[in-house]
Amino acid sequence: MDTSIAQNWLQFHSLSSFPLLTLLCAMPLGFALLALAIPDEQTSAHKAWSFVGSLVTLAVALVVLGGFDRNAVGLQQVDDYAWIPSFGARWTLGVDGLSLPLVMLTAFLMPIIFAGAWSAIDKRWKEFSIAMLILETGMLGSLLAVDLLSFYVFWEIMLVPMYLIVGIWGGKDRIYATVKFFIYTMFGSLLMLVAILWLYQKSGGSFALAQLAALNLSDKEQTWLFAAFALAFLIKVPVFPFHTWLPDAHTEAPTPGSVVLAGVMLKLGTYGLLRFAIPLFPSAMGTFSPLLMTLAVIGIIFGALMAYVQTDVKRLVAYSSVSHLGFVMLGIVIFNEESLQGAVLQGVNHGISTGALFLLVGYLYERRHTREISEFGGIAAKMPVYAAFFVFVTMSSIALPLTNGFVGEFLIFAGSFKEGVQAVIAPVAEAGRWRNTVLVGGGIASLGVVLGAVYMLSMVRRVFFGQITNPANKALHDLDWREKTIMAILACFILWIGVYPSSWLNLSKTTVHAMVLAHRPAILQVRAPLDYKHEAIQHEHADR
Amino acid sequence: MLMLPELIIVATGFILLVLDLFLTEKQRDLLVPLALAGIAAALGALWLTPDHGVLLGGRFAMDPLAWWFKLTFLIAAFVTVMLTSGLLESAAPEPRKLHSPGEFLTILLFNLTGMLLLASTRDLITLYVALELATIPLFLLAAWRRDALGGEAGLKYMVIGALASALMLYGFGVLYGVTGTMRLDAMPALLHADRTTLYAAALIVAGVGFKLTLVPFHMWAPEVYQGAPPPVTAWLSVASKAAGLSVLMLVLFRVFRPFLHDVSFAIAVLATVTMTIGNLVAIVQRNILRFMAFSAISQAGYLLLGFLAGGSVGAAAMVFYLLVYAVTNLSVFAVIILHNQQTGSTELTDYRGLSQLNPLLALALMFGLFGLGGIPPLAGFVGKFLLFSVAAQAGYHWLVGVAAVNSTVSLYYYLRLVRQMYIEAPAEGAVPLKPGWMLSAGLAVTTAASMLLGVVPTVYESVRASAAAWLQSLGQ
């Protein structure tokens, strides 16, 4: 039973008779092409059109969700067509418990982003809506593609619209930020391309993930290829020390750009690790585990400390992303069921919470044209609804129970302590160093939760409470109905996941179970060989 | 029948030349449609031409890959004439106007004939004559505007071109001396893997290197690209490069194929140096024509990767990339020609705000640049990907890495232009460009092609099939 689950997780479970996933990918692109026909001056038409386009895409995504079988192992609703036959390139899209939460997040965030952009974007709406819609196609495609070449195509498609979004509608230093973003990401992904080509030659002419994952690679090959893949994804996440593009890009990007960057694009890095890097090179993952663990923990603490010293609210939120994504990385590195469930869910949580924070910061910026914390103070008196939403989202960001953030971080820590604590309660003879590393790393990482509360709450205090000292803040007006609606929807999701997470966890449960069965042995074998034997014996006992 | 496309082009050239004598300045506007009709007829004839067969005792032969080269030449010529039409017409604004349209078109067509013949030659003499016909008219075209820059361009091009011809002729001489035959197909059996063979190969590669702008034989390119009229630069960067590649494929695959494996490291080094220098120097260029010159140099570096694996995969990758490069580069040049025609400027910074003045032109130029940079799903990506995979197949993984890093660098400078167009505000008092319908049509067709070639696999599939058939016809 177990072996068949493990073997099947990258195989096709069900082919789709109707190319629904292709339609999902193509939908935003189609709306973008039609938007070309609307004249530039018709700003409101563009606003409405792009909003409708993202809503229709969401509807298609809901159909995909409706047809999704939570208990099935493997890729579902697969579209599999030949693309360049003589080259072995195929057009293969599929969805499983790993990608579906993120697909839903993307489809759900886009209408919010467009609605939020109505006031944030004040010029060249046509170009904006086209760029955003193409970006959505790129993101959805990257999440759905399971053929490495088509994945790479979508992965790169995301770059150009993002470059333009930051470059055209961004802040003062937008050019520096956007070029830095582009070069960093491009460099990483081109090295990945080299690795893809290596695999392609090795396999004798295939880009299909399942076939490539079945290749027999030497340890040296695994190490190098994993490094090339992981670099592309780690830059995207971003993991310390590859994070330096992020504060610049996030801060300079216009509000919708920051939301989409934080909400979805960063998650594509962690998704890529889980979908491609680890299944392709599991034992290299074992080799790199201690390093990745260290980087994740450094990212958590470093991001939190950097966030604490920022004077610009948006930069603060940007650094908080570095810290939060560190938790997700931690969950991935531990690689047991709890931690992976937590990592997948925390990806969604971060998208919602940080997206909401960026939107809120954007609202304030539209009113005052500054984001310096020292410019504010006591504005809760003038903007009570705004303050209430902000404090609520902050609670979710610092992982208070009953908010979504708590569930995700709890699962990650539960996973990491399960991994580590066994070293204490059930010591294996000559237990490997790995469990101690996990114990220490998890302990340090939990400090990050405290630091998260420190920087967020101190910012909230300085911005919202006390007396109004700056006369410019006296004229501030509270949120209008559009802004309230957006926030209310996001708040509902925060509560929903916080109170009843099962509806989301169930989506990814089966897939995560299969992933752990499939790849954990290979990973453990390298990073903790003695534990591996121990765990294998336990399994045998359980089977009997 | 086999030579019909060439004959039609020659005939069109002579008709234009004679007709030019009897027409008034105003009536000469008819010459452009006439030239286009001739090229279109040749394209039609090419469609009907069988893709194998020999003429003139085996000196002239069609093979499946020659067919693709001829297609590339003819398409490039057709588009170039379309793009030039605005500068050739009698109402074109001075001082950018190209005078004597009849002679200009005739020379262009003769030049085209040389290239068409080049793809089909099978012995040294025909090869050399065709190559000269594909080269000498370019000196004239480059110096068409008799100003200081144009004169410098023409002279420099001629002197260096003569040097290249001399090197190549010397190489041919050595080949003949060793083998005692003029026929390319008979040579592999008579050659041995010794220094003389390598020496001849090196001389010929150096000679072709000038045409292909391989570093270190690229010195002429920036000046000539800048000094020649922009449409000539477009023609030069596409057709002349294609001609260079066809000679190189002829020589390396037909004559030196048994030794290709031994020199693959040298080819790898040449490719590395070419793409790296081209990309690095392009970063600091301010003039768009010089910028395109270095971009074209780096593209030649990528092209060379196809020689690393001797089989049909490499040949197919090169021919496909050449086709993609031709349409993409022409779409970029369409905007450059128009911009230069109406503003007189060739500075990168003068493209600022183009996206607000001419949204569609800016979009097309952006697609073109990203195609050259190799961003999916544009055809440039697929082409580059195929070339990279050839290098990977040959075991040159380090070279794939170098090429990948080079692509990142190239994106940096292509983005510089995108930034000017999309992010900077337009200059005060800047007016939108008004493209003529012929230029617009050329731009639309090339842009569409540069996108579709990447998504629709049919063309690559047939290039691949042709390459396989061609390899069989080599009989090795």
Side-chain angles (χ1 to χ4, degrees):
Chain A
M1 181 61 198
D2 279 4
T3 44
S4 79
I5 293 181
Q7 279 164 359
N8 283 339
W9 95 273
L10 288 173
Q11 304 292 338
F12 303 159
H13 172 263
S14 59
L15 287 166
S16 171
S17 52
F18 176 78
L20 187 63
L21 295 179
T22 308
L23 181 73
L24 176 63
C25 271
M27 192 56 77
L29 183 67
F31 273 88
L33 291 179
L34 290 175
L36 277 175
I38 307 176
D40 299 11
E41 321 77 70
Q42 306 281 345
T43 307
S44 2
H46 281 292
K47 288 179 179 174
W49 181 252
S50 49
F51 184 62
V52 170
S54 60
L55 277 185
V56 173
T57 312
L58 176 59
V60 179
L62 287 173
V63 175
V64 172
L65 178 67
F68 183 76
D69 177 1
R70 288 156 195 221
N71 299 317
V73 179
L75 296 156
Q76 305 186 23
Q77 304 176 31
V78 174
D79 291 340
D80 185 35
Y81 306 107
W83 177 24
I84 312 179
S86 66
F87 197 58
R90 300 188 71 80
W91 173 263
T92 317
L93 302 180
V95 69
D96 66 3
L98 191 58
S99 49
L100 189 65
L102 290 173
V103 169
M104 295 314 297
L105 174 74
T106 311
F108 160 73
L109 273 182
M110 285 314 275
I112 301 248
I113 288 168
F114 276 117
W118 282 355
S119 52
I121 298 296
D122 50 4
K123 55 174 183 186
R124 297 166 76 182
W125 249 90
K126 180 179 187 171
E127 282 136 311
F128 175 76
S129 62
I130 292 176
M132 267 295 183
L133 287 169
I134 293 179
L135 184 61
E136 187 177 7
T137 289
M139 294 188 300
L140 289 173
S142 309
L143 288 169
L144 294 173
V146 282
D147 177 277
L148 263 76
L149 187 63
S150 33
F151 166 74
Y152 185 80
V153 168
F154 283 117
W155 181 261
E156 294 290 273
I157 285 179
M158 294 188 299
L159 276 187
V160 176
M162 201 61 222
Y163 168 81
L164 292 177
I165 288 169
V166 178
I168 297 178
W169 296 276
K172 197 163 78 309
D173 291 326
R174 57 184 191 276
I175 311 249
Y176 171 73
T178 196
V179 171
K180 192 170 174 183
F181 160 77
F182 198 97
I183 301 290
Y184 259 71
T185 332
M186 194 70 200
F187 179 73
S189 45
L190 279 166
L191 289 185
M192 176 166 74
L193 181 65
V194 177
I196 291 178
L197 278 173
W198 180 295
L199 286 174
Y200 171 72
Q201 298 302 342
K202 191 90 188 175
S203 74
S206 168
F207 293 104
L209 179 59
Q211 278 185 38
L212 296 182
L215 284 179
N216 253 333
L217 298 170
S218 70
D219 283 352
K220 199 176 157 199
E221 277 176 318
Q222 286 229 4
T223 309
W224 281 103
L225 295 175
F226 179 84
F229 268 80
L231 187 64
F233 297 136
L234 296 187
I235 288 175
K236 201 82 160 191
V237 173
V239 170
F240 179 88
F242 311 110
H243 67 284
T244 59
W245 64 268
L246 179 131
D248 290 313
H250 270 53
T251 314
E252 296 306 325
T255 304
S258 312
V259 178
V260 88
L261 257 179
V264 185
M265 283 178 84
L266 304 189
K267 258 59 106 209
L268 284 166
T270 53
Y271 169 79
L273 277 176
L274 287 173
R275 166 72 74 209
F276 297 103
I278 295 176
L280 287 170
F281 321 109
S283 58
M285 177 66 190
T287 319
F288 278 96
S289 282
L291 176 67
L292 289 177
M293 172 98 189
T294 315
L295 293 181
V297 173
I298 293 179
I300 293 172
I301 302 297
F302 173 83
L305 292 175
M306 286 302 283
Y308 183 63
V309 298
Q310 297 307 315
T311 58
D312 179 313
V313 187
K314 203 171 181 185
R315 236 181 147 75
L316 186 150
V317 179
Y319 272 110
S320 84
S321 284
V322 177
S323 182
H324 284 145
L325 265 299
F327 287 115
V328 180
M329 279 303 296
L330 185 65
I332 293 176
V333 177
I334 303 289
F335 213 84
N336 58 29
E337 268 182 60
E338 291 82 357
S339 73
L340 279 183
Q341 280 273 26
V344 174
L345 185 67
Q346 191 61 4
V348 177
N349 292 339
H350 176 261
I352 295 173
S353 308
T354 309
L357 277 177
F358 273 122
L359 279 169
L360 286 165
V361 173
Y363 293 159
L364 200 56
Y365 182 76
E366 285 161 34
R367 286 168 170 73
R368 279 292 319 277
H369 294 284
T370 176
R371 293 183 299 249
E372 286 297 312
I373 296 177
S374 56
E375 285 279 320
F376 300 103
I379 63 170
K382 284 285 161 196
M383 305 173 75
V385 180
Y386 178 79
F389 276 124
F390 204 108
V391 170
F392 183 72
V393 177
T394 303
M395 295 305 142
S396 136
S397 174
I398 64 181
L400 225 64
L402 290 187
T403 63
N404 58 356
F406 172 74
V407 185
E409 286 189 7
F410 178 81
L411 280 169
I412 293 172
F413 280 117
S416 78
F417 284 110
K418 177 184 166 198
E419 190 88 355
V421 167
Q422 278 179 2
V424 184
I425 51 176
V428 184
E430 307 165 57
R433 278 200 208 109
W434 169 245
R435 288 188 192 268
N436 296 330
T437 317
V438 173
L439 209 56
V440 174
I444 300 176
S446 55
L447 270 181
V449 183
V450 182
L451 288 175
V454 171
Y455 66 75
M456 284 307 287
L457 291 177
S458 91
M459 182 264 283
V460 167
R461 181 181 57 78
R462 282 181 286 166
V463 171
F464 290 97
F465 301 113
Q467 295 295 313
I468 295 186
T469 44
N470 191 338
N473 291 331
K474 294 215 165 103
L476 281 175
H477 55 92
D478 210 341
L479 302 183
D480 62 22
W481 66 269
R482 177 182 60 89
E483 294 163 334
K484 276 182 204 160
T485 317
I486 295 175
M487 278 304 132
I489 295 173
L490 288 169
C492 285
F493 271 86
I494 289 176
L495 263 186
W496 175 19
I497 302 180
V499 176
Y500 189 66
S502 317
S503 50
W504 286 80
L505 290 173
N506 279 343
L507 283 183
S508 48
K509 202 174 74 189
T510 315
T511 307
V512 165
H513 180 65
M515 276 178 78
V516 171
L517 280 181
H519 303 306
R520 191 174 155 86
I523 297 176
L524 265 189
Q525 214 166 0
V526 176
R527 71 182 173 198
L530 290 169
D531 291 6
Y532 170 70
K533 275 186 214 148
H534 181 67
E535 220 169 77
I537 293 167
Q538 275 185 341
H539 261 286
E540 263 175 43
H541 282 299
D543 284 350
R544 277 173 205 162
Chain B
M1 191 64 193
L2 277 184
M3 221 194 251
L4 198 57
E6 285 86 349
L7 293 178
I8 294 177
I9 296 294
V10 175
T12 317
F14 276 112
I15 292 173
L16 290 181
L17 190 61
V18 176
L19 214 56
D20 192 42
L21 299 173
F22 303 104
L23 293 179
T24 63
E25 180 73 21
K26 199 103 185 94
Q27 287 168 327
R28 287 197 178 125
D29 287 353
L30 279 176
L31 295 175
V32 168
L34 211 59
L36 286 178
I39 301 172
L43 269 170
L46 182 70
W47 204 257
L48 300 174
T49 311
D51 63 4
H52 50 85
V54 285
L55 272 186
L56 305 177
R59 288 184 179 80
F60 179 98
M62 266 310 267
D63 62 55
L65 282 190
W67 192 90
W68 282 100
F69 272 109
K70 290 183 185 189
L71 184 76
T72 313
F73 294 137
L74 286 172
I75 291 177
F78 194 84
V79 176
T80 306
V81 174
M82 284 176 102
L83 302 185
T84 323
S85 62
L87 287 164
L88 288 173
E89 66 188 6
S90 51
E94 298 284 355
R96 257 105 50 198
K97 182 175 176 180
L98 294 174
H99 292 278
S100 328
E103 289 160 36
F104 184 92
L105 290 171
T106 308
I107 293 176
L108 187 72
L109 289 176
F110 286 166
N111 191 214
L112 172 63
T113 315
M115 292 173 182
L116 291 173
L117 286 172
L118 199 54
S120 284
T121 52
R122 287 291 178 276
D123 74 330
L124 288 178
I125 298 287
T126 335
L127 174 60
Y128 185 70
V129 173
L131 189 64
E132 290 300 273
L133 189 55
T135 307
I136 294 174
L138 287 172
F139 306 154
L140 296 173
L141 292 175
W144 205 258
R145 267 186 213 134
R146 291 164 208 163
D147 52 10
L149 272 178
E152 188 198 335
L155 191 64
K156 196 162 184 178
Y157 195 17
M158 192 185 77
V159 172
I160 293 185
L163 179 64
S165 291
L167 284 177
M168 184 143 15
L169 207 51
Y170 194 21
F172 288 172
V174 173
L175 265 188
Y176 179 66
V178 174
T179 62
T181 174
M182 284 287 180
R183 302 175 66 95
L184 299 178
D185 288 329
M187 283 179 184
L190 301 166
L191 283 172
H192 308 286
D194 55 12
R195 282 192 193 165
T196 325
T197 309
L198 281 182
Y199 181 52
L203 284 171
I204 296 174
V205 170
V208 185
F210 285 98
K211 264 192 120 44
L212 262 176
T213 60
L214 302 180
V215 174
F217 316 111
H218 67 290
M219 303 295 189
W220 58 274
E223 272 75 27
V224 176
Y225 275 48
Q226 186 185 6
V232 175
T233 309
W235 172 246
L236 201 67
S237 71
V238 172
S240 173
K241 195 152 283 188
L245 185 70
S246 88
V247 177
L248 203 56
M249 282 181 70
L250 213 56
V251 173
L252 287 186
F253 281 140
R254 281 197 187 270
V255 181
F256 295 111
R257 188 140 179 278
F259 321 106
L260 198 53
H261 188 70
D262 307 333
V263 295
S264 68
F265 184 73
I267 294 176
V269 171
L270 203 56
T272 307
V273 176
T274 303
M275 59 181 123
T276 310
I277 300 272
N279 279 323
L280 289 182
V281 183
I283 293 177
V284 294
Q285 299 306 316
R286 297 208 176 120
N287 181 296
I288 189 149
L289 292 169
R290 291 180 79 89
F291 170 94
M292 287 309 289
F294 285 103
S295 143
I297 291 171
S298 70
Q299 301 287 344
Y302 300 127
L303 263 180
L304 277 190
L305 299 183
F307 285 110
L308 291 176
S312 66
V313 189
M318 283 190 284
V319 172
F320 180 73
Y321 192 69
L322 187 70
L323 196 61
V324 169
Y325 167 76
V327 290
T328 313
N329 219 36
L330 283 172
S331 77
V332 170
F333 266 102
V335 182
I336 294 176
I337 289 167
L338 178 71
H339 189 267
N340 174 262
Q341 181 182 329
Q342 301 198 350
T343 65
S345 158
T346 50
E347 292 298 307
L348 273 181
T349 47
D350 286 332
Y351 283 78
R352 62 178 179 273
L354 190 68
S355 73
Q356 288 169 63
L357 300 169
N358 294 78
L360 286 178
L361 283 181
L363 192 67
L365 183 50
M366 183 171 74
F367 276 136
L369 292 171
F370 282 146
L372 291 177
I375 292 205
L378 298 164
F381 165 73
V382 181
K384 246 185 208 174
F385 191 85
L386 296 169
L387 286 170
F388 287 12
S389 80
V390 171
Q393 192 187 349
Y396 280 94
H397 291 284
W398 63 269
L399 186 54
V400 183
V402 168
V405 172
N406 260 295
S407 293
T408 321
V409 176
S410 78
L411 275 168
Y412 175 75
Y413 62 79
Y414 291 130
L415 278 178
R416 282 178 63 211
L417 188 50
V418 174
R419 170 192 156 183
Q420 293 295 339
M421 295 191 299
Y422 275 88
I423 297 179
E424 305 290 335
E428 211 141 304
V431 286
L433 306 173
K434 289 183 217 52
W437 70 267
M438 217 180 251
L439 187 130
S440 309
L443 178 59
V445 170
T446 46
T447 306
S450 73
M451 289 195 263
L452 289 180
L453 282 176
V455 188
V456 182
T458 333
V459 175
Y460 175 71
E461 292 292 330
S462 34
V463 171
R464 182 71 187 269
S466 298
W470 162 85
L471 193 71
Q472 272 192 333
S473 78
L474 283 187
Q476 287 163 3

